[in-house]
Amino acid sequence: MKKRDTIEGYRRTTWIVHGPARTAKWDYAHHVVPPMTSSTTYRLESARRGAQGFQEYGALIRDRGKAPVYIYDRLDDPTRELLEGELAKLEGGDGCLTFASGMAAISAALAGLLQSGDEIIGHDLLYGCTHSLMTRWLPRLGISVRRADFTRPDSVARLINPRTRLLYYESPVNPTLDLVDIATIRRLCDAHNRLRPKERRLLSIIDNTFATPFCQRPLELGVDVVVHSLTKNIGGFGTEVGGALICGRELYPALKWFRKDFGGILASKSAWSILVYGLPTLPVRVKRQQYTALKVARFLRSSPRVETVRYPGLPDFPQRALATRQMRDFDGSFAPGNMIYFRLKKDNADPVRFINDLAKNAYSITLAVSLGHVKTLVEIPGSMTHSAYEGAGAIKDVDGVRLSIGLESPADIIRDLESSLERAARRGRR
Ligand SMILES: Cc1ncc(COP(=O)(O)O)c(C=O)c1O
């Protein structure tokens, strides 16, 4: 037995700090559920091992069944890496990096790939904080941002110039559920890249939070980077905040170095919850939510209080053909997701009154931001998640209502919606 393996001769004061230096109890190969590791730093048997860890850092090392050289938690952590391996595989990418939040992943993807003097084109409508990142912060770093309607790719094409480095969009768009044709945007990039050097390639990034890899895998359609808020559908239970980016092998090292130095890693405890609870239940949750979402969308469309309903699963959804082509689950079935956006008839029911009534009286629906939760959540994006647009005039549907469908009985969600719609209308008439 080596000297470090025995505690003989050491005082209890020291022993209480170090415990058993080695133990056969760390036998992770036989765990059915992966262990939750939590170690800010890692023992290096020799200076050589430490140097090797730093040399290999950033390389895309696939799981070869033996542990890589771990050095320090901000660089790499086994639990986080297990989650990253799963997410990369599900999205069809080479590598994944997880972050402390969706916004940390989005800002890393942008700042890690761009430099001062670059220009990007973003879709007119994006999640409120992404809009704020583009209007408030990127210009301060010398990155200019133009906006275009990505549902009309020709309007994007018109803005591309030699300084344009990146196209950024969501599909489905939060909150309107407009869809962007991912393959068409890729073809637009290809046309420009034929004339560009490799290091100035025109890249595209999609925020795939609404769809999740279960409903849509944009890397397979030619996107360069997929970003996610893990806080939403993938985490699924509303207990963890996190983000991820998934990309191919060329972009991965630079983004990994960026994360090391900017430091916004996902806590390994959060990674563990997402890995053990969130990911494995994603298909069953989304399938059930889609089943309910279609029933709720149909009910809303039949209501005399409702002006318009947007849900890609409705047969008359304006971009139905694109939806059925692009949104496919792991088995190849149509997967329109769990988000609904609707507007009330102005002269019939007031949206604020309706929402307040839900907050007060509904049991199955909760007034709260966020989405992709086991509980059905409702909000008014114009004055809440997308309030960063206020004054900018780009969000046209300020009165729209966003509904994230949970796991409750469809009949109960409909019952609560119907009651609040009726009360909002009655009060409106008084
Ligand atoms: C589409 C989308 N992307 C990104 C984010 C940001 O995620 P996070 O809150 O985890 O930073 C959100 C948050 O609501 C979102 O809806």
Side-chain angles (χ1 to χ4, degrees):
M1 199 183 274
K2 277 194 274 162
K3 196 164 171 245
R4 279 195 63 98
D5 294 346
T6 167
I7 55 165
E8 241 171 81
Y10 288 93
R11 288 170 177 76
R12 281 198 171 89
T13 312
T14 304
W15 186 85
I16 206 168
V17 175
H18 288 271
R22 299 272 192 284
T23 169
K25 291 191 175 78
W26 293 332
D27 172 19
Y28 296 152
H30 294 93
H31 276 60
V32 173
V33 173
M36 184 193 293
T37 67
S38 187
S39 181
T40 56
T41 193
Y42 293 82
R43 177 178 293 126
L44 301 162
E45 291 112 8
S46 64
R48 193 161 155 266
R49 183 176 165 86
Q52 183 195 344
F54 280 98
Q55 268 159 25
E56 286 176 1
Y57 187 76
L60 188 65
I61 303 174
R62 286 220 177 268
D63 189 351
R64 297 192 198 113
K66 68 175 190 181
V69 177
Y70 289 110
I71 304 168
Y72 184 62
D73 188 277
R74 177 162 43 74
L75 276 58
D76 270 323
D77 160 90
T79 310
R80 209 162 54 221
E81 278 204 331
L82 282 175
L83 174 64
E84 289 169 353
E86 297 275 309
L87 284 170
K89 198 170 166 57
L90 289 176
E91 283 282 6
D94 293 320
C96 168
L97 295 163
T98 53
F99 293 84
S101 68
M103 287 317 301
I106 293 168
S107 52
L110 291 170
L113 295 174
L114 297 168
Q115 58 188 34
S116 173
D118 284 344
E119 191 173 288
I120 72 167
I121 305 174
H123 181 51
D124 285 335
L125 187 55
L126 296 165
Y127 166 58
C129 294
T130 311
H131 169 71
S132 174
L133 175 69
M134 291 193 179
T135 47
R136 223 176 251 229
W137 303 108
L138 291 187
R140 284 175 57 155
L141 304 176
I143 296 159
S144 44
V145 184
R146 290 169 172 238
R147 306 299 278 271
D149 179 358
F150 276 57
T151 64
R152 294 190 300 112
D154 52 318
S155 80
V156 181
R158 271 199 294 277
L159 295 185
I160 298 173
N161 65 63
R163 281 178 58 202
T164 315
R165 193 67 222 289
L166 201 145
L167 309 179
Y168 186 99
Y169 60 98
E170 299 162 0
S171 186
V173 173
N174 181 2
T176 57
L177 297 158
D178 285 334
L179 304 183
V180 175
D181 188 333
I182 300 170
T184 301
I185 298 294
R186 167 57 192 241
R187 281 196 291 277
L188 201 57
C189 292
D190 285 347
H192 285 269
N193 288 337
R194 278 195 277 279
L195 309 168
R196 288 189 179 204
K198 203 167 165 232
E199 63 286 357
R200 291 291 304 166
R201 254 183 351 108
L202 178 61
L203 303 170
S204 64
I205 301 185
I206 185 173
D207 181 334
N208 200 27
T209 299
F210 264 35
T212 81
F214 178 68
C215 298
Q216 174 175 279
R217 288 157 303 283
L219 289 168
E220 290 169 3
L221 298 169
V223 157
D224 294 286
V225 182
V226 168
V227 290
H228 277 289
S229 167
L230 299 175
T231 319
K232 310 291 159 32
N233 286 294
I234 294 178
F237 293 87
T239 59
E240 311 303 321
V241 176
L245 67 81
I246 300 106
C247 60
R249 60 181 57 252
E250 295 117 64
L251 300 179
Y252 177 82
L255 291 167
K256 190 162 186 185
W257 285 96
F258 182 94
R259 187 185 65 173
K260 173 178 81 64
D261 296 341
F262 281 76
I265 52 160
L266 179 67
S268 55
K269 290 168 188 117
S270 295
W272 184 84
S273 295
I274 298 168
L275 179 69
V276 173
Y277 301 118
L279 259 197
T281 59
L282 179 68
V284 283
R285 280 187 284 111
V286 175
K287 271 190 187 172
R288 165 72 185 181
Q289 288 163 346
Q290 285 178 162
Y291 165 81
T292 305
L294 185 57
K295 285 183 182 287
V296 172
R298 281 196 181 125
F299 157 74
L300 287 168
R301 209 185 36 190
S302 70
S303 165
R305 318 272 172 232
V306 175
E307 174 95 43
T308 49
V309 183
R310 296 183 63 84
Y311 177 59
L314 283 174
D316 58 357
F317 180 70
Q319 295 173 292
R320 174 75 175 189
L322 176 59
T324 50
R325 194 166 71 238
Q326 197 163 265
M327 303 187 76
R328 292 276 162 191
D329 70 18
F330 297 154
D331 304 320
S333 303
F334 179 40
N338 52 15
M339 299 298 297
I340 298 173
Y341 187 64
F342 62 101
R343 296 180 68 189
L344 303 185
K345 281 191 182 145
K346 277 218 165 53
D347 53 355
N348 214 314
D350 174 60
V352 174
R353 228 178 252 137
F354 166 64
I355 285 280
N356 283 339
D357 192 274
L358 280 173
K360 194 164 160 223
N361 299 305
Y363 175 66
S364 69
I365 303 174
T366 307
L367 170 56
V369 297
S370 204
L371 57 109
H373 200 291
V374 290
K375 299 189 181 195
T376 294
L377 307 179
V378 73
E379 66 127 1
I380 300 184
S383 57
M384 297 178 190
T385 50
H386 291 65
S387 56
Y389 276 98
E390 240 182 348
I395 182 157
K396 293 155 203 127
D397 285 340
V398 281
D399 285 345
V401 177
R402 190 183 77 180
L403 196 57
S404 168
I405 298 295
L407 296 179
E408 304 87 350
S409 156
D412 286 337
I413 297 171
I414 290 170
R415 172 185 149 179
D416 280 339
L417 285 170
E418 193 166 26
S419 305
S420 289
L421 281 169
E422 284 311 307
R423 278 193 293 266
R426 248 186 277 133
R427 275 188 220 143
R429 277 199 294 273
R430 261 182 226 150

